[in-house]
Amino acid sequence: MMAKLNTQASAIDMPEATAESTVTPLSRAHLVQKHYYVPTESSGSQQAYIEDQSANLVVEAAISIIINGIHYAVLMASPYQLEYLAIGFLFSEGLIQHSHDLLDWEVTQLTDVASYQRFTQHSDEDDTAGSFGQTLAQLQDYDIYVVELTLNQRSHQRIQAQRRQLAGRTGCGMCGITGLTQALPDLSIYRQDKKRVKVDTPSLGYLLEIRQKIDTMQHTHQLTGAVHAAATMQGQHLHLFEDVGRHNALDKLIGWQLQHKADIDCVVMTSRLSIELVQKSIRSHIPWLVGMSAPTSTAVRVAERYGLGLAGFLRDSRVTYYSNYSNG
């Protein structure tokens, strides 16, 4: 696969990535004003303080996904590990089945008039001089990256079919049984065969080891306090993927899994476990999904139906198993 990067796809765990001269910003310093109370020793009351500080805030960028020249989607995500994000997103959307379905990719950050003009010249929007200037003014507060993907012919046909389905919807957006089945798909073809696939319930000690490694390696979260992570262990090595969106973090891990043809026994998320994370895990044949917060009721029901092991509240030397666990 050819890979052309106009910005660095920096990653905690991407030794294969080639460093570029331009570094993608993952956080920026902003001036803030902190208000807080401090108890006074003499009277037992509290003294109010106001302090001007500099705080690091995570970058949340608009990632425009263009597939074979078709403007497909815009994701709000952290602007790194974008190849993995693209592959995982396409797989989750059902547009590709293997990483080799992606033939080529290029990432471009929109930073000046020329880059915006290149991005808009093939769009269907009105790009007259007046509207173009208005658009630039409107978008100047945003970090915008364009991910241009080239898929093989079979995958391109899937995109065309999906676009025809989307074009048939009017007014109310996701309507009727077609919209519901796309949002709540039949995952029976991904059902875990318990006789064929046997993955032991991950022990508390093993999960706490992963939790400790995540706490140590989650650098962007340590700096900003505002990103989720998806992580998996391969031997003694932790592969960690951070993003402002928990579903994006899991897509990055899935993209890495597909590209490296990795066998995964367990994925640990720093977030709650909602239904879209369960659906992505089932599609990717991930045996166990573990969160540091609770799952939803729907997530547990779907996990039980399709044989996905689910655990939550991985914290304070404890974990709670919700599905696919062994008694005793």
Side-chain angles (χ1 to χ4, degrees), residues 2 30 42 51 70 72 83 87 95 119-120 147 176 189 232 242 279 287 293:
M2 296 176 60
H30 290 258
S42 57
E51 183 178 344
I70 299 171
Y72 184 80
E83 181 189 12
I87 293 174
L95 298 178
F119 174 60
T120 58
V147 182
I189 62 173
T232 188
E242 289 187 286
Q279 291 171 335
S293 296

Side-chain angles (χ1 to χ4, degrees), residues 62-101:
I63 314 297
S64 179
I65 306 292
I66 300 178
I67 306 173
N68 291 6
I70 299 171
H71 291 249
Y72 184 80
V74 175
L75 309 178
M76 299 306 298
S78 299
Y80 65 114
Q81 300 170 319
L82 292 182
E83 181 189 12
Y84 292 155
L85 175 61
I87 293 174
F89 173 75
L90 294 177
F91 182 84
S92 297
E93 289 282 291
L95 298 178
I96 65 172
Q97 296 176 345
H98 309 280
S99 62
H100 60 249
D101 291 336

Side-chain angles (χ1 to χ4, degrees), residues 219-275:
H219 304 307
T220 307
H221 183 72
Q222 292 169 2
L223 188 65
T224 66
V227 294
H228 293 292
T232 188
M233 288 278 285
Q234 299 282 292
Q236 292 299 310
H237 186 60
L238 184 79
H239 297 264
L240 178 73
F241 304 86
E242 289 187 286
D243 200 277
V244 291
R246 60 185 185 275
H247 52 287
N248 294 332
L250 184 54
D251 274 342
K252 289 176 178 179
L253 187 149
I254 292 171
W256 169 85
Q257 174 193 14
L258 290 171
Q259 189 161 346
H260 293 271
K261 298 179 175 60
D263 291 326
I264 293 178
D265 291 337
C266 177
V267 169
V268 174
M269 304 286 303
T270 58
S271 64
R272 72 181 188 274
L273 302 179
S274 50
I275 183 59

Side-chain angles (χ1 to χ4, degrees), residues 10-139:
S10 67
I12 293 173
D13 185 73
M14 282 186 66
E16 304 85 356
T18 300
E20 300 291 330
S21 58
T22 302
V23 177
T24 301
L26 304 182
S27 65
R28 291 195 180 91
H30 290 258
L31 293 177
V32 300
Q33 191 176 78
K34 181 179 179 180
H35 294 229
Y36 58 98
Y37 288 108
V38 175
T40 58
E41 295 182 1
S42 57
S43 63
S45 60
Q46 292 185 323
Q47 175 69 45
Y49 289 89
I50 298 175
E51 183 178 344
D52 293 327
Q53 294 182 347
S54 176
N56 288 299
L57 303 182
V58 69
V59 171
E60 182 180 18
I63 314 297
S64 179
I65 306 292
I66 300 178
I67 306 173
N68 291 6
I70 299 171
H71 291 249
Y72 184 80
V74 175
L75 309 178
M76 299 306 298
S78 299
Y80 65 114
Q81 300 170 319
L82 292 182
E83 181 189 12
Y84 292 155
L85 175 61
I87 293 174
F89 173 75
L90 294 177
F91 182 84
S92 297
E93 289 282 291
L95 298 178
I96 65 172
Q97 296 176 345
H98 309 280
S99 62
H100 60 249
D101 291 336
L102 176 59
L103 304 179
D104 196 8
W105 65 294
E106 182 175 3
V107 179
T108 304
Q109 183 179 10
L110 303 189
T111 57
D112 52 28
V113 173
S115 61
Y116 276 94
Q117 287 177 327
R118 177 179 176 273
F119 174 60
T120 58
Q121 65 183 349
H122 299 301
S123 71
D124 298 327
E125 300 174 2
D126 181 11
D127 58 355
T128 61
S131 64
F132 183 74
Q134 182 178 357
T135 299
L136 283 179
Q138 175 186 342
L139 299 178

Side-chain angles (χ1 to χ4, degrees), residues 148-203:
E148 296 175 273
L149 308 169
T150 303
L151 303 187
N152 59 21
Q153 184 61 31
R154 180 178 298 178
S155 300
H156 182 73
Q157 290 171 353
R158 294 193 193 103
I159 299 171
Q160 297 287 41
Q162 189 166 106
R163 278 172 61 86
R164 284 193 292 271
Q165 282 186 329
L166 293 171
R169 302 178 194 162
T170 58
C172 59
M174 187 184 295
C175 299
I177 192 66
T178 299
L180 285 173
T181 53
Q182 286 184 332
L184 310 172
D186 177 16
L187 301 172
S188 58
I189 62 173
Y190 304 102
R191 190 188 306 272
Q192 298 285 356
D193 185 342
K194 294 183 179 180
K195 295 181 180 179
R196 181 176 58 86
V197 179
K198 178 60 176 177
V199 177
D200 293 335
T201 301
S203 68

